[in-house]
């Protein structure tokens, strides 16, 4: 049973560019959440997708957007990149139903903005 | 809103020493509590969890007990190994105003175990 997978592993972009990160949830999970983790900090919640819609959102600007596909995989898009967007981006999946609220994390995508 | 407070690190211990990492929380309702571990360059791995008061989560020699009266979920291990060196995050799952589950993380505690 594959866990949460993310691609790419590493990415280098320049300021002003746009980036797309991808996530495939754990088998049986229908909810995907995205987090930003700056160096030395805890993960900060960006948003959560369920049934192809953004269900809740953290305190991030509209430059951060996402999408969820019918197979529950998800994308995180960041436009007009800033130096401060350099971070580890984590995807977590969970099951909305089934009596569990545990989120399982992928290995992350390391984004460097130059 | 919900919050999680962890003891600041880094924590440096000798191999086979006893480990305690303190975690306290503020939340409405009855959150589930978690410890995640992050090894260098990797994502977060679920270490253990507890879903109700007095539950004890345990895994790989680590334990934590959900103490509602003190709003705490301290992580303990009787004898640490060099391979336990990592950053440990305490977290809770609560309900936001929209009725959806929301995870709140502490800032993390870095543990370094020396031989």
């Amino acid at each position: 049973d594959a866990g949460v997978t993310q691609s790419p592993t590493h990415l280098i972009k320049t300021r002003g560019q746009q980036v797309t990160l991808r996530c495939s949830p754990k088998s049986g999970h229908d909810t995907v959440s995205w987090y930003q983790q700056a160096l030395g900090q805890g993960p900060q919640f960006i948003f959560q997708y369920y049934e192809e819609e953004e269900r809740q959102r953290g305190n991030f600007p509209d430059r951060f957007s996402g999408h969820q596909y019918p197979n529950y995989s998800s994308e995180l898009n960041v436009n007009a990149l800033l130096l401060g967007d350099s971070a580890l981006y984590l995807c977590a999946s969970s099951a909305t139903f089934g009596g569990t609220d545990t989120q399982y994390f992928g290995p992350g995508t390391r984004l460097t903005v130059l | 809103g919900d919050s999680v407070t962890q003891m600041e690190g880094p924590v440096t211990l000798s191999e086979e020493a006893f480990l305690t990492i303190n975690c306290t929380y503020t939340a409405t309702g009855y959150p589930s509590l978690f410890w995640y571990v992050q090894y260098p360059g990797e994502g977060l791995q679920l270490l253990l969890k507890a879903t109700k008061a007095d539950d004890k989560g345990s895994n790989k020699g680590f334990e934590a007990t959900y103490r509602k009266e003190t709003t705490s979920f301290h992580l303990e291990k009787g004898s640490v190994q060099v391979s336990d060196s990592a950053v440990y995050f305490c977290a809770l799952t609560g309900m936001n105003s929209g009725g959806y589950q929301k995870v709140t993380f502490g800032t993390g505690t870095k543990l370094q175990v020396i031989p």
Side-chain angles (χ1 to χ4, degrees):
Chain A
D1 174 26
V4 180
T5 60
Q6 292 186 244
S7 63
T9 304
H10 296 87
L11 208 49
I12 299 174
K13 294 286 188 179
T14 56
R15 280 179 297 174
Q17 285 189 310
Q18 179 265 344
V19 68
T20 297
L21 311 182
R22 295 178 175 82
C23 171
S24 291
K26 187 175 168 65
S27 177
H29 287 183
D30 57 6
T31 301
V32 173
S33 302
W34 286 92
Y35 295 83
Q36 181 194 67
Q37 186 181 20
L39 201 60
Q41 303 295 316
Q44 298 296 312
F45 175 70
I46 302 175
F47 44 54
Q48 183 182 81
Y49 275 83
Y50 170 68
E51 291 190 338
E52 303 179 49
E53 290 192 357
E54 184 182 292
R55 185 160 75 174
Q56 53 179 324
R57 189 180 183 93
N59 189 25
F60 278 80
D62 291 344
R63 297 187 298 110
F64 290 77
S65 64
H67 188 79
Q68 186 179 35
Y69 294 92
N71 66 354
Y72 309 120
S73 66
S74 177
E75 291 180 352
L76 164 66
N77 301 293
V78 187
N79 294 323
L81 284 168
L82 303 174
L83 294 178
D85 295 332
S86 295
L88 180 67
Y89 288 85
L90 296 166
C91 167
S93 74
S94 56
T96 294
F97 302 103
T100 178
D101 53 4
T102 303
Q103 293 197 355
Y104 292 86
F105 284 79
T109 294
R110 173 73 62 188
L111 173 64
T112 301
V113 182
L114 302 176
Chain B
D2 296 346
S3 67
V4 176
T5 302
Q6 290 182 235
M7 63 185 289
E8 290 191 14
V11 174
T12 302
L13 295 173
S14 297
E15 207 165 21
E16 299 184 4
F18 185 86
L19 168 71
T20 300
I21 300 178
N22 290 337
C23 171
T24 57
Y25 68 90
T26 302
T28 55
Y30 303 94
S32 295
L33 302 175
F34 304 83
W35 277 100
Y36 285 88
V37 58
Q38 187 174 36
Y39 298 100
E42 298 185 10
L44 273 66
Q45 297 178 25
L46 178 66
L47 182 59
L48 54 84
K49 63 179 281 191
T51 59
K52 60 184 187 296
D54 300 325
D55 264 4
K56 178 185 283 188
S58 61
N59 186 25
K60 299 180 183 180
F62 291 90
E63 293 183 340
T65 301
Y66 190 144
R67 301 288 188 199
K68 192 165 177 63
E69 64 276 12
T70 55
T71 62
S72 64
F73 193 55
H74 304 322
L75 182 68
E76 297 182 335
K77 186 176 186 184
S79 176
V80 294
Q81 306 300 312
V82 172
S83 57
D84 294 327
S85 298
V87 180
Y88 292 80
F89 291 94
C90 184
L92 67 83
T93 300
M95 207 65 77
N96 70 3
S97 57
Y100 300 124
Q101 290 175 349
K102 178 174 179 286
V103 181
T104 301
F105 285 90
T107 53
T109 302
K110 183 175 182 179
L111 170 67
Q112 183 179 14
V113 181
I114 54 177

